[in-house]
Amino acid sequence: MRNRLGLTRRNFLLSAAAFAASTSARAAPRAATDSFVPDVDIELICRRDAVQIFDGRPTQVWRYAGNLLKGPANTLTALPQSYLGPLMRFVKGQKIRLRLRNDLPEETITHWHGLHVPMEADGHPMAAIDPGQTYVYEFEMRNRASFNFYHPHTHEATATQVYHGLAGGIIVEDEEERALGLPSGEFEIPIVLQDRSFDDDNQLGYWGGMHRNMFGFYGERILVNGRPDFRLEVASRAYRLRILNASNARIYKLCWDDRTPLTVIGVDGGLLERPETRPYVMLAPAERVDLWVDFSGRAVGSKLVMRSGEFDGLVPPMAQRMMGGGLTIGDDYPLFAATVTRAMSDSPKLPEKLATIRHYRVEEIANRDSPRPIALSMSHMQLAINGRTYEHDNVMDIERVPVNSVQLFEIFHDHGGGMGMGMGGGMMRGGMMGGGMMGGMGHGMMGGGMGMMGMMDMAHPVHLHGQPFEVLSRTYTGEDEEAYATIREGLIDSGLKDTVLVAPGERVRIAKPFGDFKGRFMYHCHNLEHEDMGMMREFSVE
């Protein structure tokens, strides 16, 4: 075992002993069942490899390698010259078997981020398999059309395993989306954003120590689909760019260099009801955005550069000074370029209506007058949710959820070291009234009077496993409106989400369904260093 988190030797040995005790009680890896007849059968291998990212010595990575055993030929697509796992393409209603084999030197397990699957197919940390073992996932695709994410969910090793290359995308199709005739084939382009650091020998560097663990890892090079200095050659017509932030901690503010507005057609959980035009889009780790980009009318040879624009207030000033890897957090820098290389006269038109989203009614929400809290707190080397760090099988009453129910949650920053349980009022979108957990809370880093905790406060991308949720309201209670104004217009809450960025000073309310499946399902910060430091809990769906 490696000391991944900079622990003292004594604490590391205690952690190792606890881990050994937990694995001794763990069941054997799940095997294939005869009663399940898959439409798609995939072998997915986690293994070490070397890839040519720069001139000179190849970079040592960990990666997913896929073999299609059964299913349509387009199920797996390798991204050219990339360490990323194959792009998987599924169809709603398919029965899917995935055989995960661990050829790494340490335990691992894979989570299908965004998919609505049973607990045994969700990649729970307690399902991690040892080197040489295979874990078999079996499930029916229940998701609507969307762009999703697969990556490890190994306890205290998610950050390092993703950082070394274990990540990939999942596209789900359905009939509603196919009927729209959106750009497809060569005109539908997945874009996976990651930041990395490299030493002089082209090898990945994962440095930063205690500051990295507290604030997250930030590298000095932006990789797109696993490649530096990424360039697209496009025709003068409409494209669909499906963008995933697969970085450990970095938040991007997507905008074109000439300030052409972004046309957003989808987010984490699939298409919006109608296209939306934004000057920029904020994209936190694990969030996805689906863009309609029309190069029609642009001359051959013209170039458009996607940048991450300037923003403020999402990380503490101390983190901005200490981290950033040469790309200071919140600064302006390029991500990738698109150059028009050929003219085309034929191009699809942007649909006025995209999809139907069924919004939750007030009477459908079981706890509409008493939201369940997700209170996020940071202190010196201590990151917690609702005052507690992750511990399997230590479920609080507020984490016990009835199956086939819709639950109201309020996500906020907790500066008191525990949950404030006072009740307040507030108006939600659509006229819904509900109580708020207002007692004893500070106002985030951009507010005042919090002492050390406020100084360390930062944005958290909160991910809840299972079905996507609906953002009902987002309220800013901080004092630095100027800083908040640099991100406000890029927060898209109109579609279905599985990860939501909660900025300092914000309180976000969501309606989250827990349908079909009982068991333990994780919720956590998707700043991966925060997840590994304990900012993760689990629901017991009963």
Side-chain angles (χ1 to χ4, degrees):
M1 294 181 64
R2 297 174 296 152
N3 185 343
R4 302 183 185 94
L5 300 178
L7 302 173
T8 65
R9 183 176 184 276
R10 177 179 179 273
N11 287 343
F12 180 66
L13 292 175
L14 289 173
S15 297
F19 171 75
S22 68
T23 54
S24 65
R26 199 162 58 205
R30 189 180 187 281
T33 58
D34 294 336
S35 59
F36 187 86
V37 181
D39 302 303
V40 177
D41 198 339
I42 296 170
E43 180 185 45
L44 195 65
I45 304 163
C46 306
R47 61 181 177 88
R48 291 174 285 188
D49 204 350
V51 297
Q52 198 74 48
I53 298 177
F54 303 104
D55 293 337
R57 186 179 174 188
T59 303
Q60 302 297 313
V61 298
W62 292 3
R63 68 185 304 182
Y64 289 109
N67 297 315
L68 181 62
L69 306 178
K70 178 184 178 182
N74 70 342
T75 300
L76 297 183
T77 303
L79 297 178
Q81 301 174 337
S82 177
Y83 57 78
L84 291 170
L87 179 68
M88 300 185 183
R89 190 177 294 269
F90 300 127
V91 178
K92 184 177 181 179
Q94 281 180 330
K95 292 185 176 181
I96 298 161
R97 174 180 288 153
L98 287 148
R99 308 166 189 259
L100 183 75
R101 194 175 86 215
N102 182 9
D103 284 353
L104 300 174
E106 64 185 44
E107 67 167 11
T108 193
I109 195 67
T110 294
H111 167 54
W112 318 105
H113 182 121
L115 298 191
H116 177 42
V117 295
M119 175 185 172
E120 59 269 19
D122 193 46
H124 192 287
M126 291 303 293
I129 54 175
D130 292 327
Q133 292 184 323
T134 296
Y135 188 98
V136 180
Y137 304 81
E138 295 173 334
F139 57 91
E140 179 180 340
M141 181 58 68
R142 300 188 178 209
N143 288 61
R144 67 196 290 255
S146 51
F147 185 32
N148 301 285
F149 181 23
Y150 65 97
H151 61 80
H153 217 299
T154 318
H155 184 39
E156 294 188 341
T158 298
T160 53
Q161 292 186 0
V162 171
Y163 184 76
H164 283 92
L166 290 173
I170 300 172
I171 290 178
V172 180
E173 300 177 351
D174 65 15
E175 291 304 318
E176 180 185 37
E177 184 180 281
R178 284 176 172 174
L180 293 173
L182 298 175
S184 60
E186 65 175 300
F187 308 112
E188 177 192 35
I189 302 175
I191 299 286
V192 181
L193 300 175
Q194 296 175 310
D195 58 333
R196 296 290 183 265
S197 290
F198 298 88
D199 63 21
D200 294 337
D201 204 24
N202 293 343
Q203 302 310 301
L204 288 165
Y206 185 67
W207 37 66
M210 179 187 72
H211 297 120
R212 175 199 65 215
N213 298 335
M214 284 301 296
F215 301 119
F217 177 86
Y218 301 89
E220 82 282 354
R221 294 295 300 261
I222 301 298
L223 304 184
V224 177
N225 293 350
R227 296 156 57 188
D229 304 317
F230 188 80
R231 292 175 173 83
L232 290 172
E233 293 186 352
V234 299
S236 56
R237 57 151 287 159
Y239 280 74
R240 183 180 189 182
L241 301 188
R242 312 187 73 153
I243 304 178
L244 158 67
N245 182 354
S247 301
N248 281 33
R250 187 176 289 274
I251 298 169
Y252 301 97
K253 180 179 178 177
L254 304 180
C255 57
W256 292 116
D257 61 337
D258 66 354
R259 297 303 181 253
T260 296
L262 300 179
T263 300
V264 181
I265 61 173
V267 289
D268 305 352
L271 292 175
L272 304 179
E273 292 177 304
R274 290 173 180 79
E276 296 186 12
T277 301
R278 301 292 180 106
Y280 57 86
V281 171
M282 302 305 300
L283 200 67
E287 286 190 305
R288 288 88 71 201
V289 66
D290 203 340
L291 300 180
W292 176 284
V293 183
D294 196 345
F295 297 98
S296 300
R298 292 185 178 267
V300 172
S302 61
K303 184 169 74 171
L304 203 56
V305 178
M306 180 69 78
R307 304 186 68 86
S308 183
E310 292 183 359
F311 61 85
D312 198 6
L314 295 186
V315 294
M318 69 172 70
Q320 287 183 299
R321 292 192 297 269
M322 295 172 181
M323 309 298 290
L327 292 177
T328 302
I329 306 161
D331 274 2
D332 179 89
Y333 49 86
L335 300 174
F336 62 89
T339 302
V340 179
T341 58
R342 67 189 194 276
M344 290 186 71
S345 58
D346 184 32
S347 181
K349 300 301 181 184
L350 177 65
E352 293 183 7
K353 185 179 187 306
L354 295 168
T356 300
I357 296 177
R358 182 184 173 278
H359 299 286
Y360 295 110
R361 302 186 304 276
V362 173
E363 57 270 21
E364 292 180 277
I365 299 179
N367 60 325
R368 58 186 177 270
D369 296 322
S370 182
R372 296 174 185 261
I374 298 180
L376 310 166
S377 62
M378 294 179 66
S379 60
H380 182 65
M381 295 303 289
Q382 178 73 51
L383 295 95
I385 297 178
N386 293 335
R388 299 192 187 185
T389 56
Y390 175 66
E391 184 180 355
H392 177 60
D393 212 23
N394 179 22
V395 179
M396 295 185 285
D397 287 344
I398 58 171
E399 295 170 327
R400 298 187 181 278
V401 180
V403 71
N404 294 321
S405 69
V406 179
Q407 298 289 322
L408 174 64
F409 289 89
E410 186 166 50
I411 313 172
F412 55 92
H413 296 261
D414 177 6
H415 302 109
M419 294 176 289
M421 301 305 290
M423 299 302 293
M427 181 68 71
M428 296 182 186
R429 181 169 60 77
M432 172 187 276
M433 292 296 296
M437 302 296 182
M438 303 296 289
M441 295 298 135
H443 295 304
M445 187 195 73
M446 292 183 279
M450 290 85 62
M452 185 60 184
M453 277 204 174
M455 290 172 62
M456 296 183 68
D457 202 3
M458 62 184 294
H460 297 285
V462 178
H463 172 50
L464 288 78
H465 288 210
Q467 291 166 281
F469 52 78
E470 184 177 355
V471 177
L472 300 177
S473 68
R474 183 188 293 270
T475 305
Y476 178 66
T477 59
E479 297 177 356
D480 194 341
E481 290 284 353
E482 185 176 346
Y484 191 64
T486 67
I487 69 165
R488 186 194 302 269
E489 293 182 79
L491 301 170
I492 303 173
D493 295 332
S494 49
L496 298 178
K497 300 281 291 176
D498 57 55
T499 306
V500 62
L501 179 64
V502 183
E506 282 191 321
R507 307 178 75 88
V508 178
R509 289 181 177 178
I510 65 172
K512 161 73 173 165
F514 291 85
D516 305 320
F517 305 123
K518 296 182 178 181
R520 300 293 172 84
F521 293 89
M522 316 305 298
Y523 68 105
H524 56 87
C525 178
H526 220 285
N527 177 317
L528 297 183
E529 283 73 28
H530 289 182
E531 176 184 331
D532 285 348
M533 287 288 290
M535 192 175 269
M536 176 170 70
R537 298 289 300 168
E538 61 183 3
F539 297 116
S540 178
V541 184
E542 303 168 348

